[in-house]
Amino acid sequence: MFVMLFILLLVILFSYLPSYSSKISRSIGGYFIHLTDEELNLRQQVRDLKAEQGAVSMSDEFAKYMKLQRKIDRLVDQVKKMGSSRSQKITMFSMGVKILINVLHGIVMISVIIYYKNDPLYMLPEEWFYPINRLISFPTGVSGGIGVTCWILVCSSVVYRLKNFINVQPSAQELKVDS
């Protein structure tokens, strides 16, 4: 019975873990992918030039104002290129985390199936599932026993349906009837 509950918890964990992969990758990625000193320096230069440009009157000193604007534009383009590169790294890291979660899910489920392939998780009377005894007892072959594969499929199906049911629940405002 403990094993059945453990498998249910694993199925629940791995059904919700992919939805949190972006948060996981953001928190872990913050340690590996961060702003470089060069990018921070360029951003500071842009702020300084904008402050200097703010002090210059556009109508009185148009040439100086536009010269500062061109410098700002050039630096902003460099910052955008660096930001784009960092953004690509973050996206690749996020995809890697999603793939890692899916691979880990597969490995854990296959390991559980292999470990419990000979033992039924729970015994029920044979007559209850007469036409499909072999499917339910797979891979154990013990008639009347619930096999680990069947239990994983049942848990996955129930968790999937519950997740959809929770997401589809109408809010209290939708239930109100307009008078």
Side-chain angles (χ1 to χ4, degrees), residues 104-118:
L104 183 65
H105 181 206
I107 289 171
V108 166
M109 289 303 162
I110 290 172
S111 299
V112 167
I113 289 171
I114 290 172
Y115 189 76
Y116 292 104
K117 71 179 177 183
N118 297 325

Side-chain angles (χ1 to χ4, degrees), residues 120-155:
L121 299 178
Y122 198 73
M123 291 299 293
L124 296 171
E126 287 183 43
E127 304 83 41
W128 286 12
F129 305 108
Y130 168 66
I132 56 172
N133 269 344
R134 288 196 168 180
L135 288 175
I136 292 175
S137 66
F138 181 78
T140 64
V142 177
S143 190
I146 297 177
V148 68
T149 307
C150 177
W151 183 246
I152 289 173
L153 291 174
V154 167
C155 289

Side-chain angles (χ1 to χ4, degrees), residues 43-168:
R43 287 180 181 212
Q44 184 61 43
Q45 288 178 13
V46 168
R47 281 193 292 274
D48 293 343
L49 287 174
K50 283 187 178 183
E52 185 180 337
Q53 187 183 33
V56 173
S57 171
M58 184 175 172
S59 58
D60 294 340
E61 301 177 67
F62 183 74
K64 185 176 181 181
Y65 184 88
M66 289 310 294
K67 187 176 180 181
L68 289 171
Q69 185 62 44
R70 285 191 294 272
K71 285 182 183 179
I72 291 171
D73 290 342
R74 187 175 53 246
L75 290 175
V76 166
D77 286 341
Q78 289 177 352
V79 169
K80 284 182 181 179
K81 285 179 186 175
M82 290 180 165
S84 173
S85 171
R86 191 173 53 346
S87 175
Q88 287 176 350
K89 289 177 185 176
I90 291 170
T91 302
M92 293 301 289
F93 187 76
S94 177
M95 287 174 43
V97 167
K98 286 181 184 180
I99 290 171
L100 180 69
I101 288 171
N102 289 327
V103 168
L104 183 65
H105 181 206
I107 289 171
V108 166
M109 289 303 162
I110 290 172
S111 299
V112 167
I113 289 171
I114 290 172
Y115 189 76
Y116 292 104
K117 71 179 177 183
N118 297 325
D119 303 324
L121 299 178
Y122 198 73
M123 291 299 293
L124 296 171
E126 287 183 43
E127 304 83 41
W128 286 12
F129 305 108
Y130 168 66
I132 56 172
N133 269 344
R134 288 196 168 180
L135 288 175
I136 292 175
S137 66
F138 181 78
T140 64
V142 177
S143 190
I146 297 177
V148 68
T149 307
C150 177
W151 183 246
I152 289 173
L153 291 174
V154 167
C155 289
S156 297
S157 177
V158 168
V159 168
Y160 173 78
R161 284 176 181 22
L162 283 175
K163 276 178 64 176
N164 285 340
F165 180 74
I166 291 170
N167 290 338
V168 175

